């Protein structure tokens, strides 16, 4: 206990450090959020409560795209525009697969090397929590910490592939989809659902021999978007081309994001969508807590596995199995209650 107090900053040091924009303390606070130790979880909760009044002021941007589309190169270029504009930028990543590869996607190559040297930029790779829900929850908390540390723009990047796009969409104001121009059918391989989530689409690597293909792709996407419903914000999804290598179009992307921010603030859409997101976060957190609590007792998991094999072997109906599990759950709660 004493050792951990000595090596970890206390609540007050964390709070003061964060609101004063101390990057080292911010890094430590993020590590604390990712900890699964009971004592750390308690401090993390208290810290989140304390910093809450300092949050909510940043522009939150999500960026997604398949591996190789040029996300990290593009974020470096976009980030440079943002910091040159006098803003403080934090870049966070969501990568649910990093728990399997032990973070190697981010660890093996130095990503965003130039941006990480900018004093006004703070870059933090994904946490290694196990589930997507867990990773998303930690990323949201990190976002709040960065806001309290006075970062004006937060970029949340999806690194892994899979369901993380929706998780990121639900925590940001503006969602940007990066796409490659390709030979043949431009829409091939793109989940239409992801296009529907996007506020902006950027065709990357619009340079050299690829420039014409990128312009064509932009037209194809702009056309395809006509068939997608206009979102509640009344913001029409824009399609742009950009090259992180030559810098062409990158400033335009930043201006598009700012225009969206201005418009959604004026129309009240920003406030409304954040309200909806907060309620969704609350429900997600509760499900996560419930889930953790449920499986705390190893016997519950054991029973679940047994019932699973009974159902698979047609020894028990799915309904009867679910009811048995529910009875075991109630029994667990009753036992816990009697200990109080
Ligand atoms: P990520 O996996 O989506 O993060 O992609 P990276 O940023 O690592 O980029 C993948 C590859 O595309 C790298 O070899 C980059 O050099 C290249 N690349 C990224 N942006 C551009 C660009 O604007 N133009 C060109 N020609 N290549 C690019």
């Amino acid at each position: 206990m004493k050792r951990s107090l000595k090596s970890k900053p206390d609540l007050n040091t964390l709070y003061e450090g964060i609101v004063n924009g101390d990057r080292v303390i911010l890094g430590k606070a993020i590590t604390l959020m990712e900890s699964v130790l009971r004592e750390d979880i308690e401090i993390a909760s208290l810290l989140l409560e304390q910093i809450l009044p300092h949050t909510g002021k940043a522009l939150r941007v999500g960026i997604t795209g398949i591996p190789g589309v040029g996300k990290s190169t593009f974020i470096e270029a976009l980030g440079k525009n943002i910091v040159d504009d006098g803003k403080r930028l934090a870049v966070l990543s969501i990568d649910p697969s990093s728990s399997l590869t032990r973070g190697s996607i981010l660890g093996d190559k130095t990503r965003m090397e130039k941006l990480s040297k900018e004093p006004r930029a703070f870059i933090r790779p994904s946490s290694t929590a196990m589930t997507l829900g867990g990773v998303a929850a930690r990323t949201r908390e990190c976002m709040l910490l960065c806001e309290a540390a006075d970062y004006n723009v937060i970029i949340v990047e999806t690194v892994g592939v899979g369901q993380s796009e929706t998780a990121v969409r639900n925590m940001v104001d503006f969602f940007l989809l990066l796409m490659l121009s390709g030979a043949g059918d431009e829409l091939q391989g793109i989940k239409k659902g992801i296009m529907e989530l996007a506020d902006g689409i950027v065709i990357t690597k619009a340079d050299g021999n690829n420039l014409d293909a990128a312009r064509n792709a932009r037209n194809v996407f702009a056309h395809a978007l006509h068939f997608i419903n206009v979102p509640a914000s009344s913001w029409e999804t824009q399609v742009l081309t950009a090259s992180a290598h030559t810098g062409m179009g990158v400033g335009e992307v930043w201006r598009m994001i700012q225009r969206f921010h201005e418009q959604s603030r004026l129309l009240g859409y920003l406030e409304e969508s954040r309200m909806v997101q907060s309620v969704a976060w609350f429900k997600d957190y509760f499900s996560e807590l419930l889930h953790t609590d449920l499986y705390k007792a190893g016997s519950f998991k054991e029973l679940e596995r047994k019932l699973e094999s009974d159902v698979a072997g047609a020894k028990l109906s799915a309904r009867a199995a679910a009811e048995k599990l529910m009875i075991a759950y109630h029994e667990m709660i009753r036992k816990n209650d009697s200990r109080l």
Side-chain angles (χ1 to χ4, degrees), residues 19-55:
V19 296
N20 288 311
D22 182 327
R23 296 159 65 106
V24 177
I25 294 286
L26 176 62
K28 287 192 172 168
I30 292 179
T31 306
L32 181 80
M33 293 294 153
E34 291 164 357
S35 168
V36 289
L37 298 176
R38 180 179 276 274
E39 62 189 79
D40 289 344
I41 292 172
E42 278 168 16
I43 299 182
S45 289
L46 291 171
L47 181 63
L48 277 174
E49 284 309 305
Q50 281 200 7
I51 56 130
L52 205 62
H54 302 276
T55 65

Side-chain angles (χ1 to χ4, degrees), residues 80-101:
K80 183 86 177 70
N81 274 263
I82 296 173
V83 294
D84 285 351
D85 231 2
K87 307 263 189 270
R88 281 161 57 83
L89 167 72
V91 182
L92 309 172
S93 305
I94 277 204
D95 180 10
S97 63
S98 71
S99 53
L100 303 174
T101 58

Side-chain angles (χ1 to χ4, degrees), residues 90 101 194 201 220 280 295 312 325:
T101 58
I194 296 178
I201 296 176
V220 172
Y295 290 104
L325 205 57

